[in-house]
Amino acid sequence: MAGNSFGQAFKITTFGESHGKGIGVIIDGCPSRIPLMEEDFIGEMARRRPGRTHFDTPRVELDQVEIFSGVFEGFTTGTPIALLIRNDDVKSEPYEILRELFRPGHADYTYFKKYGHFDFRGGGRSSARETAARVAAGVVAQKVVALSDIVVVAYTREMGGIRAKDIDLEAINTNPFYCPDVAVIDKMKETVLSAKEEGDSIGGIVEIRVTGCPAGLGEPVFDKLSADLAKAVMSVGAVKGVEIGAGFETARLKGSENNDPITPTGFKTNNAGGILGGISNGDDIILRAAVKPIPSIMIDQDTIDREGRPDRLRLTGRFDTSAVPRIVPVLEAMVKLVLADHYLRAKSNGSNQERGC
Amino acid sequence: MAGNSFGQAFKITTFGESHGKGIGVIIDGCPSRIPLMEEDFIGEMARRRPGRTHFDTPRVELDQVEIFSGVFEGFTTGTPIALLIRNDDVKSEPYEILRELFRPGHADYTYFKKYGHFDFRGGGRSSARETAARVAAGVVAQKVVALSDIVVVAYTREMGGIRAKDIDLEAINTNPFYCPDVAVIDKMKETVLSAKEEGDSIGGIVEIRVTGCPAGLGEPVFDKLSADLAKAVMSVGAVKGVEIGAGFETARLKGSENNDPITPTGFKTNNAGGILGGISNGDDIILRAAVKPIPSIMIDQDTIDREGRPDRLRLTGRFDTSAVPRIVPVLEAMVKLVLADHYLRAKSNGSNQERGC
Amino acid sequence: MAGNSFGQAFKITTFGESHGKGIGVIIDGCPSRIPLMEEDFIGEMARRRPGRTHFDTPRVELDQVEIFSGVFEGFTTGTPIALLIRNDDVKSEPYEILRELFRPGHADYTYFKKYGHFDFRGGGRSSARETAARVAAGVVAQKVVALSDIVVVAYTREMGGIRAKDIDLEAINTNPFYCPDVAVIDKMKETVLSAKEEGDSIGGIVEIRVTGCPAGLGEPVFDKLSADLAKAVMSVGAVKGVEIGAGFETARLKGSENNDPITPTGFKTNNAGGILGGISNGDDIILRAAVKPIPSIMIDQDTIDREGRPDRLRLTGRFDTSAVPRIVPVLEAMVKLVLADHYLRAKSNGSNQERGC
Amino acid sequence: MAGNSFGQAFKITTFGESHGKGIGVIIDGCPSRIPLMEEDFIGEMARRRPGRTHFDTPRVELDQVEIFSGVFEGFTTGTPIALLIRNDDVKSEPYEILRELFRPGHADYTYFKKYGHFDFRGGGRSSARETAARVAAGVVAQKVVALSDIVVVAYTREMGGIRAKDIDLEAINTNPFYCPDVAVIDKMKETVLSAKEEGDSIGGIVEIRVTGCPAGLGEPVFDKLSADLAKAVMSVGAVKGVEIGAGFETARLKGSENNDPITPTGFKTNNAGGILGGISNGDDIILRAAVKPIPSIMIDQDTIDREGRPDRLRLTGRFDTSAVPRIVPVLEAMVKLVLADHYLRAKSNGSNQERGC
């Protein structure tokens, strides 16, 4: 009853650690006869990759994805797709000092309590490096959701308190922050660099928008599309909150303001964020994730060692200043995984539309 | 691949509709030899019950829980516990007018799209009535978490924009709003009555606090305690957002502000909300859910009929003005269900502590 | 991680005990818009019902199935179908003597070891009465497999050593033994009555034949159709063996004898029993289950009590002389459940045929 | 809803094809702090390996197991264990002729029907090579069952009609057939060689015996230990039948003969095969699997091509004459996997013994 699998019809299982041989993912349930090759992964892996810009950790991983199984003569076979990503640039030495001390804000302490050990080399399994496997799986999920007209786009809505106001989806890939509002990019840069200088870190908010999603995805009452999206997003380490549509604002609206009137051509507003009763309603799905500041900071912190004795810790090493923007393609991948799963699940649950009656 | 089950080690499956014979839940995985009788359910069911005060819908349900199976001579047997709750006060007539029209903000439209039909009698399966089964299951989950020292308390943190400032857990059950701050109760009353008068509805924020949770619950990387809590809370119809610990605020904090320093006697602060790397850290678990205003309002709204033709709809009937406070025991139950599940899961996943090495 | 659910796309969860309020089943995943009413259950329930003939236990259960949820205006809704069967004729008194003694061949001892108690009133959950819920679920599964051309027929192949030679499917429902060979019915009668007179019991072999099954059902490598059928059949208490196609005989055949040659019009022989590599091949699926003699006998047996002290036990009460033939509709139902599940699973796993490429 | 995972608490997912890069398995749920290193796999892998003796296929695979993740400093970490086995000796050329023709008795035809393609290079995913990953997983399962006193031993009970009479467990690893009766080994040799000369193949029966299993494993009513064992064994491609304890013989016994009397020191007989009501009773668990003759024979056979046109096929290549004995360690591994899973499941399901009440 460990929990390293996600999804039912499109089920992924990830494995691997940040400073072991590598990481990977098994995808079970991908339809057969979909074209897939190793080149397909390059784009998305590059978006998440460390060492992408001087804002990121200098750790350089090529993050080359090896298709180990499940593809024959260029097409998926319907059997499990195994994707492997080797760890190339593993430097464990700087972590030796952490053999005894728990890093505040990290999972060292809880892994130690749960498993009786912790991997002091960058967190091992709890490292954000694990999310590279999710991005790789997301590339395959993308091919499944593309069987429908679903398009998923994620971007940085806010970073270090700087908020994107105008959402121009075209702008997202033109700047290192995956920010849809070019007007605030300079401010974002300043904010990041200033935090970096202080040895500190910052958080942010990522927004994900799904267009072209057919009505009918989601399985009430527990596997609501909203519930599975919330789980998917919250399963990414740095995320501390998730909201759909009007989200927390909705708590202060009246019903007459919050209800989305229905017209023959669609919903007049979209406070629901594209989901009603846990089922997609055909409108855009909109969700936001709150991302905490990266806990690795180069500032003195109180902590304890394995024996419970107090100590002080100042990290040195290779860290991002913020999980945003590198978390953007990860959250985009998680949403794709949920949609691929529910798209395939809806095929089996036999609504009469599906059967053509 | 429908989705009416929740949990793995402590697994519940709910069934039933708002205007059918009744609702119920099967609990599979409850340990044997736990005392359980029908009287145990009275308290919690009463807290969620409609017709509780004049702020609620006048629908009166006794919500008596029948133990249909799984208990013998006053003790659980380890076999499935079936709990049935009959629908007593079913009045479908007022709903006849809804046979053709989709209610805005409700699941009528999406159920119709997914299943090729919708239950115009109060939403059928999508009705909040289904949550009574969750509350009943929560009573059993409570007995499981009590095998540990876990205590779960939920309360209204905010309602119609009125926010509880001082959190006095003793106060929660002394007022109809399950509000921990008696100073704001009068304002809450006014807000509810004013909305009621307008035929409108309001939303709110529910906070849930878990004390006594041992470190080590949660199954990375997907079944993180945080991820399963997010799913559990978001699976309740009216919830549009969920956050843990500092939540969305964390997006604007620096790492040096957000990290909780570790001391020999515990964490100095609790921005993490009791969960690190998806595993409980022994501190209080804190989460908040954003609850949207009830979509049933007695104000004219635009909608369409089954054929897609535009129409106007003004509801009449028996509705709450807000899902808060009746949703409070439901969310409390959901958190108990997650904890009971992870408490039992942790027993099998075999950390060495568990094995005593 | 208890185990009272079966299936994934067409998932059932049974509950209830032989001497409690009743038994039942929740079906999650049944497609919507399938006609279903309580009368649909009468036929199959009657086939399994005790008190059917003077060969059976005199316990009389009407086994009336109540549709508690999931059906609206005569059609399935896509939401969980709850079926309840009340226990009418519960006589627990004769069992009082069994409060302390474990019945040999029954589950009393193992339930006591596992759960710390056992239900001395007819075995409680371990009673064959639980299979009535499976038969009820099978009636719904029948409606799903009928969406394809699948037809499932089970019959008594052997009973107390008397073997049916000619298989005439028309004959099955013309005799109390569900025997397809009328020539051996008199011998079967004699065998049953002779065992009954001795207070003893007999076993048998049930054969199940599936026609009209399309090629392509089954999910390698673990959820092979053969593997799930084996589990389904072996999950019925009295079954101690299962074989498919030539089964145990195949161990003594040569490859040249066992291989089924393929021709443009189908397979020349069917030693495979309709399944190759765990996937249906379009030919008839044939399997056989070995059914042990009912352990309840009116003959002195050695046993022990709860404290481990030796004792002697001679049962008195209402017992069948053989689980065959009443197990026939149960095994037929189990096979239907597997096929309904795999039929719906195949829809989601997205072979290209399904997608029409 | 593909089916490449097995188990719940100790869950494995296999992947890979016979003529791709390799095969592998992810184990999720293995307890932490268990010593594990690559050398641990050598013994069992050697027992299943092709090219072991001149009775086997001359394909030589070193079957070296690489621990890719889940182990740190020589101990399991509680995170997913990924095991990789490269395909070293892949010769696909002889298979080119099979690009168009379905091999009788193999899964080519059904894979083609299900997935719209088939891997003509030795069956791809349907190849027995996949079972190497199961054997590797079995080595880890062995370490889990050894936390209890469970010992699992499998051996050839019958081969080509030659049956072992005396069961001497010490003899099993002294001969290439894993046969516990040295008296019949010469006859087995003759039978194999004679079939080989004819270009034909033979089947057999494998028996598995579990000692030291505590009472209480198994989760009624569907995940009975017997049911999960049946599924596990039947999920191995060549197996066409499975029986537990007296098995098919039980169909011809009377209750008075079949019931195992209970005494203060244990059961007098073991017709139940160590399982009552789906739960282990503390006695030895005994099961047998019927193994069909390998379908690859060097004799002319009727078949069809992808277009459905009739053809004749005579295979040439590297084949075993019998799946027995190489299937012996595979079935042993499957039984270990089931026991490891149920051992861990029993910890969570909370019988009162477990809780010490």
Side-chain angles (χ1 to χ4, degrees):
Chain A
M1 302 228 283
N4 293 284
S5 296
F6 186 78
Q8 293 192 24
F10 189 89
K11 184 169 67 166
I12 67 166
T13 305
T14 70
F15 52 94
E17 298 92 32
S18 67
H19 288 71
K21 292 194 172 180
I23 56 170
V25 60
I26 309 299
I27 302 166
D28 199 18
C30 181
S32 63
R33 309 305 294 158
I34 292 180
L36 187 69
M37 53 184 186
E38 295 184 350
E39 286 70 21
D40 292 336
F41 296 91
I42 294 173
E44 279 308 294
M45 296 312 288
R47 296 183 76 215
R48 198 215 72 97
R49 191 163 60 206
R52 207 174 37 100
T53 74
H54 63 285
F55 300 107
D56 300 340
T57 161
R59 175 171 176 174
V60 181
E61 291 281 1
L62 286 185
D63 282 352
Q64 202 164 340
V65 175
E66 177 188 358
I67 300 176
F68 189 83
S69 72
V71 174
F72 180 43
E73 300 188 328
F75 289 87
T76 61
T77 60
T79 63
I81 300 169
L83 304 175
L84 300 184
I85 306 166
R86 298 271 165 186
N87 290 335
D88 299 311
D89 181 27
V90 173
K91 289 190 192 149
S92 301
E93 299 79 10
Y95 293 103
E96 271 299 319
I97 192 178
L98 298 172
R99 193 180 267 276
E100 293 304 321
L101 294 182
F102 303 119
R103 293 168 301 161
H106 277 287
D108 302 341
Y109 178 78
T110 51
Y111 270 61
F112 182 68
K113 284 292 184 182
K114 183 176 189 67
Y115 300 113
H117 91 104
F118 73 98
D119 188 336
F120 55 87
R121 304 163 310 163
R125 180 73 180 146
S126 71
S127 163
R129 175 133 189 81
E130 180 266 336
T131 60
R134 304 186 185 205
V135 172
V139 169
V140 184
Q142 165 66 37
K143 300 215 165 196
V144 173
V145 299
L147 297 175
S148 174
D149 294 324
I150 295 169
V151 174
V152 182
V153 183
Y155 45 84
T156 299
R157 186 65 203 257
E158 190 179 311
M159 196 176 173
I162 313 301
R163 188 169 180 81
K165 268 153 218 149
D166 298 320
I167 308 298
D168 172 11
L169 301 184
E170 305 292 317
I172 297 171
N173 284 311
T174 65
N175 65 82
F177 301 112
Y178 303 136
C179 175
D181 183 356
V182 289
V184 301
I185 289 173
D186 283 344
K187 267 197 191 162
M188 282 190 176
K189 269 186 205 171
E190 278 170 43
T191 309
V192 173
L193 290 174
S194 144
K196 195 173 190 173
E197 230 160 79
E198 298 164 13
D200 216 336
S201 65
I202 56 174
I205 292 173
V206 173
E207 191 164 271
I208 305 108
R209 182 179 295 261
V210 182
T211 56
C213 183
L217 302 195
E219 300 294 332
V221 293
F222 293 111
D223 296 350
K224 285 172 166 146
L225 190 56
S226 37
D228 276 354
L229 286 168
K231 173 165 178 166
V233 163
M234 202 69 109
S235 77
V236 177
V239 176
K240 297 302 282 184
V242 57
E243 58 179 8
I244 291 177
F248 273 85
E249 255 189 67
T250 206
R252 285 161 198 174
L253 297 178
K254 295 203 166 166
S256 56
E257 299 163 322
N258 186 60
N259 284 355
D260 302 311
I262 319 178
T263 76
T265 55
F267 295 89
K268 260 191 200 165
T269 52
N270 190 11
N271 288 317
I275 301 176
L276 279 171
I279 300 171
S280 62
N281 66 11
D283 209 336
D284 287 2
I285 297 171
I286 313 219
L287 67 160
R288 277 173 299 281
V291 179
K292 75 173 184 180
I294 280 188
S296 291
I297 54 175
M298 294 175 226
I299 296 176
D300 269 21
Q301 298 181 86
D302 283 330
T303 189
I304 58 174
D305 68 12
R306 289 180 182 225
E307 312 303 323
R309 290 169 304 210
D311 210 325
R312 295 281 286 175
L313 177 67
R314 174 193 283 263
L315 290 169
T316 57
R318 312 174 297 179
F319 314 115
D320 285 343
T321 303
S322 175
V324 183
R326 284 182 55 212
I327 206 173
V328 167
V330 175
L331 295 174
E332 191 177 300
M334 290 312 299
V335 170
K336 286 174 182 171
L337 288 166
V338 171
L339 290 169
D341 188 45
H342 276 280
Y343 174 74
L344 296 177
R345 285 179 74 170
K347 286 187 175 301
S348 86
N349 82 349
S351 64
N352 65 348
Q353 276 91 341
E354 205 59 41
R355 295 201 308 276
C357 348
Chain B
M1 302 228 284
N4 293 284
S5 296
F6 187 79
Q8 294 192 23
F10 189 89
K11 185 170 66 167
I12 68 166
T13 304
T14 70
F15 52 93
E17 297 93 31
S18 67
H19 287 71
K21 292 195 172 180
I23 55 170
V25 60
I26 310 300
I27 302 167
D28 198 18
C30 182
S32 63
R33 308 306 292 157
I34 292 180
L36 187 69
M37 54 183 185
E38 294 183 351
E39 287 69 22
D40 292 337
F41 296 90
I42 295 173
E44 279 308 296
M45 295 312 289
R47 295 183 76 216
R48 197 215 72 96
R49 192 165 55 208
R52 208 174 38 98
T53 75
H54 62 285
F55 300 107
D56 301 339
T57 160
R59 175 171 176 174
V60 181
E61 292 281 0
L62 287 184
D63 281 353
Q64 201 164 339
V65 175
E66 176 189 359
I67 300 176
F68 189 83
S69 72
V71 174
F72 180 43
E73 299 186 332
F75 289 87
T76 60
T77 59
T79 63
I81 300 169
L83 305 175
L84 299 184
I85 306 165
R86 297 270 165 189
N87 290 336
D88 299 311
D89 182 26
V90 172
K91 290 191 190 146
S92 302
E93 298 79 10
Y95 292 103
E96 271 299 320
I97 193 177
L98 297 172
R99 194 180 268 276
E100 294 304 323
L101 295 183
F102 303 120
R103 292 168 302 161
H106 277 288
D108 302 341
Y109 177 79
T110 51
Y111 270 61
F112 183 68
K113 283 291 184 182
K114 183 177 189 67
Y115 300 113
H117 91 107
F118 72 97
D119 188 336
F120 56 86
R121 305 163 309 164
R125 180 73 180 146
S126 72
S127 164
R129 175 134 190 81
E130 180 266 338
T131 61
R134 303 185 185 206
V135 171
V139 170
V140 184
Q142 165 65 37
K143 300 215 165 195
V144 173
V145 299
L147 297 174
S148 174
D149 294 323
I150 294 170
V151 174
V152 181
V153 184
Y155 44 84
T156 300
R157 187 63 204 256
E158 190 179 310
M159 195 177 173
I162 314 301
R163 189 171 182 80
K165 269 155 217 146
D166 298 320
I167 308 299
D168 173 11
L169 300 184
E170 305 293 316
I172 295 170
N173 284 311
T174 65
N175 66 82
F177 302 112
Y178 303 136
C179 175
D181 184 355
V182 289
V184 301
I185 289 172
D186 284 344
K187 266 196 192 162
M188 281 188 176
K189 269 187 207 172
E190 278 169 44
T191 308
V192 173
L193 290 175
S194 143
K196 196 174 189 171
E197 228 159 82
E198 299 164 13
D200 216 335
S201 65
I202 55 175
I205 292 173
V206 174
E207 191 163 271
I208 305 108
R209 183 178 295 262
V210 182
T211 56
C213 182
L217 303 194
E219 299 296 333
V221 293
F222 293 111
D223 297 350
K224 284 172 166 148
L225 191 55
S226 37
D228 276 354
L229 285 169
K231 173 166 178 164
V233 164
M234 202 69 108
S235 77
V236 176
V239 176
K240 297 302 281 185
V242 56
E243 58 178 10
I244 292 177
F248 273 85
E249 255 189 68
T250 206
R252 286 162 197 174
L253 296 178
K254 294 200 168 169
S256 56
E257 299 163 324
N258 185 62
N259 284 355
D260 302 309
I262 319 178
T263 77
T265 55
F267 295 88
K268 260 191 199 165
T269 52
N270 190 11
N271 289 315
I275 301 175
L276 279 171
I279 301 171
S280 62
N281 66 11
D283 209 336
D284 288 2
I285 296 171
I286 314 222
L287 66 160
R288 276 172 299 280
V291 180
K292 75 173 183 181
I294 280 187
S296 292
I297 54 174
M298 294 174 226
I299 295 176
D300 270 20
Q301 298 181 84
D302 284 329
T303 188
I304 58 174
D305 68 12
R306 288 181 183 224
E307 312 303 326
R309 290 170 304 210
D311 210 327
R312 295 280 288 174
L313 177 68
R314 174 192 282 264
L315 290 169
T316 56
R318 313 173 296 179
F319 314 115
D320 287 345
T321 302
S322 175
V324 184
R326 284 180 55 211
I327 206 174
V328 166
V330 176
L331 294 175
E332 191 176 301
M334 290 312 298
V335 170
K336 285 173 181 170
L337 289 166
V338 171
L339 291 168
D341 187 45
H342 276 279
Y343 174 73
L344 296 177
R345 284 178 74 169
K347 287 188 176 300
S348 86
N349 83 348
S351 64
N352 66 348
Q353 276 90 342
E354 206 59 42
R355 297 201 306 276
C357 346
Chain C
M1 299 234 286
N4 293 284
S5 296
F6 186 79
Q8 293 193 24
F10 189 90
K11 184 169 68 166
I12 68 166
T13 304
T14 71
F15 53 94
E17 297 92 31
S18 67
H19 287 71
K21 292 195 172 181
I23 55 169
V25 61
I26 309 299
I27 302 167
D28 199 18
C30 182
S32 64
R33 310 304 294 157
I34 293 180
L36 187 70
M37 54 183 185
E38 294 183 351
E39 287 69 22
D40 292 337
F41 297 91
I42 294 173
E44 279 308 295
M45 296 311 290
R47 296 183 76 216
R48 197 214 73 97
R49 190 165 60 207
R52 208 173 36 99
T53 74
H54 63 285
F55 299 106
D56 302 338
T57 161
R59 174 171 177 174
V60 181
E61 292 281 1
L62 286 185
D63 282 352
Q64 201 165 341
V65 175
E66 177 190 358
I67 300 176
F68 189 82
S69 72
V71 174
F72 180 44
E73 298 187 331
F75 289 87
T76 60
T77 60
T79 63
I81 300 169
L83 304 175
L84 300 183
I85 305 164
R86 299 269 164 190
N87 289 336
D88 299 311
D89 182 27
V90 173
K91 290 192 190 146
S92 301
E93 299 79 9
Y95 293 103
E96 272 299 320
I97 192 177
L98 298 171
R99 193 180 267 276
E100 294 304 321
L101 295 182
F102 304 119
R103 294 167 301 162
H106 278 287
D108 302 341
Y109 177 79
T110 51
Y111 269 62
F112 182 69
K113 284 291 184 181
K114 182 176 189 69
Y115 300 113
H117 91 105
F118 72 98
D119 189 336
F120 55 87
R121 305 162 310 164
R125 180 75 180 143
S126 72
S127 163
R129 174 133 191 82
E130 179 266 336
T131 60
R134 303 184 187 207
V135 172
V139 170
V140 184
Q142 165 66 38
K143 300 215 165 196
V144 172
V145 299
L147 297 174
S148 174
D149 294 322
I150 295 170
V151 174
V152 182
V153 184
Y155 45 84
T156 300
R157 186 65 205 257
E158 190 178 311
M159 195 176 172
I162 313 300
R163 189 170 181 82
K165 268 154 217 147
D166 298 321
I167 307 300
D168 172 11
L169 301 184
E170 305 292 317
I172 295 169
N173 285 311
T174 66
N175 65 83
F177 302 112
Y178 303 136
C179 176
D181 183 356
V182 290
V184 301
I185 289 172
D186 283 345
K187 267 196 191 162
M188 281 189 176
K189 268 187 206 170
E190 279 170 43
T191 309
V192 172
L193 290 174
S194 145
K196 195 173 189 173
E197 228 160 81
E198 298 164 15
D200 216 336
S201 65
I202 56 174
I205 292 172
V206 173
E207 191 164 270
I208 305 107
R209 183 179 295 261
V210 182
T211 56
C213 182
L217 303 194
E219 300 295 331
V221 294
F222 293 110
D223 297 351
K224 284 171 167 148
L225 190 56
S226 38
D228 276 353
L229 285 168
K231 173 165 179 167
V233 163
M234 201 70 109
S235 78
V236 176
V239 176
K240 298 302 281 186
V242 56
E243 58 179 10
I244 292 177
F248 273 85
E249 255 189 68
T250 205
R252 286 160 198 174
L253 296 178
K254 294 202 167 167
S256 56
E257 299 163 324
N258 186 60
N259 284 355
D260 302 311
I262 319 178
T263 77
T265 55
F267 295 89
K268 261 190 199 165
T269 53
N270 190 11
N271 288 317
I275 301 176
L276 279 172
I279 301 172
S280 62
N281 66 11
D283 209 337
D284 287 2
I285 296 171
I286 313 221
L287 66 161
R288 278 172 299 281
V291 179
K292 74 173 185 180
I294 280 187
S296 292
I297 54 175
M298 293 175 226
I299 295 176
D300 270 19
Q301 299 181 85
D302 284 329
T303 188
I304 59 173
D305 67 12
R306 288 180 184 226
E307 313 302 325
R309 291 169 303 211
D311 209 325
R312 294 281 287 174
L313 176 66
R314 174 193 284 264
L315 290 170
T316 56
R318 313 173 296 179
F319 314 117
D320 286 344
T321 303
S322 175
V324 183
R326 283 182 54 210
I327 206 173
V328 167
V330 176
L331 294 175
E332 190 176 300
M334 290 312 299
V335 170
K336 285 174 182 171
L337 289 166
V338 172
L339 291 169
D341 188 44
H342 276 280
Y343 174 74
L344 295 178
R345 284 178 74 169
K347 286 188 176 300
S348 86
N349 83 348
S351 64
N352 66 347
Q353 275 92 342
E354 206 58 44
R355 296 201 306 277
C357 345
Chain D
M1 302 232 284
N4 293 284
S5 296
F6 186 78
Q8 294 192 23
F10 189 89
K11 184 169 67 167
I12 68 165
T13 304
T14 71
F15 52 94
E17 297 92 32
S18 66
H19 287 71
K21 292 194 173 181
I23 55 169
V25 60
I26 309 299
I27 302 167
D28 199 18
C30 182
S32 63
R33 310 305 294 158
I34 292 180
L36 186 69
M37 53 184 187
E38 294 182 352
E39 287 70 21
D40 292 337
F41 297 90
I42 294 173
E44 278 309 294
M45 295 312 289
R47 296 183 75 216
R48 197 213 73 96
R49 191 164 57 206
R52 208 174 37 99
T53 74
H54 62 286
F55 300 106
D56 300 339
T57 160
R59 174 171 176 174
V60 181
E61 291 282 0
L62 287 184
D63 281 353
Q64 201 165 339
V65 175
E66 176 189 359
I67 300 176
F68 189 83
S69 72
V71 174
F72 180 44
E73 299 186 331
F75 288 87
T76 60
T77 60
T79 63
I81 300 169
L83 304 175
L84 300 184
I85 306 165
R86 298 271 164 188
N87 290 335
D88 299 313
D89 182 25
V90 173
K91 288 190 191 147
S92 301
E93 299 77 10
Y95 292 103
E96 272 299 321
I97 193 177
L98 298 171
R99 193 179 268 277
E100 293 304 322
L101 294 183
F102 304 120
R103 293 168 301 162
H106 278 288
D108 302 341
Y109 178 78
T110 51
Y111 269 61
F112 182 68
K113 283 292 185 182
K114 184 177 188 67
Y115 300 113
H117 90 106
F118 73 98
D119 189 336
F120 55 88
R121 305 163 310 163
R125 180 74 181 145
S126 72
S127 164
R129 176 136 188 79
E130 179 266 337
T131 61
R134 304 186 185 206
V135 172
V139 169
V140 184
Q142 165 66 37
K143 300 215 164 194
V144 172
V145 300
L147 297 174
S148 175
D149 294 323
I150 294 170
V151 175
V152 182
V153 184
Y155 44 85
T156 300
R157 187 63 204 257
E158 191 179 310
M159 196 176 172
I162 313 301
R163 188 170 181 81
K165 268 154 217 148
D166 298 320
I167 307 298
D168 172 11
L169 300 183
E170 305 292 316
I172 295 170
N173 284 310
T174 66
N175 66 81
F177 302 112
Y178 303 136
C179 176
D181 184 356
V182 290
V184 302
I185 288 172
D186 283 345
K187 266 197 192 161
M188 281 188 177
K189 269 187 205 170
E190 278 169 43
T191 308
V192 173
L193 290 174
S194 144
K196 196 173 189 172
E197 230 160 78
E198 298 163 13
D200 216 335
S201 65
I202 56 174
I205 292 173
V206 173
E207 190 164 271
I208 305 108
R209 183 178 295 262
V210 183
T211 57
C213 182
L217 303 194
E219 300 296 332
V221 293
F222 293 111
D223 297 350
K224 285 172 166 147
L225 191 55
S226 37
D228 276 353
L229 285 168
K231 173 166 179 166
V233 163
M234 202 69 108
S235 77
V236 177
V239 176
K240 298 301 282 185
V242 56
E243 59 179 10
I244 291 176
F248 273 85
E249 256 190 67
T250 206
R252 287 162 196 173
L253 296 178
K254 294 201 167 167
S256 57
E257 299 163 322
N258 185 61
N259 284 355
D260 302 311
I262 319 178
T263 77
T265 55
F267 296 89
K268 261 190 200 166
T269 53
N270 190 12
N271 289 317
I275 302 176
L276 279 171
I279 301 171
S280 63
N281 66 10
D283 209 336
D284 288 2
I285 297 171
I286 313 219
L287 66 160
R288 277 172 300 280
V291 179
K292 74 173 185 182
I294 280 188
S296 292
I297 54 175
M298 294 175 227
I299 296 176
D300 269 19
Q301 298 181 85
D302 284 330
T303 188
I304 57 173
D305 67 12
R306 288 182 182 224
E307 313 302 325
R309 290 169 302 210
D311 210 326
R312 295 281 287 174
L313 177 67
R314 175 192 282 264
L315 291 169
T316 57
R318 313 173 296 178
F319 313 117
D320 286 344
T321 303
S322 175
V324 184
R326 283 181 55 210
I327 206 173
V328 166
V330 175
L331 294 174
E332 190 176 301
M334 290 312 298
V335 170
K336 285 174 182 171
L337 289 166
V338 171
L339 291 168
D341 188 45
H342 277 280
Y343 174 74
L344 296 178
R345 285 178 74 169
K347 286 188 175 301
S348 86
N349 83 348
S351 65
N352 67 347
Q353 275 92 342
E354 205 60 41
R355 295 200 307 277
C357 345

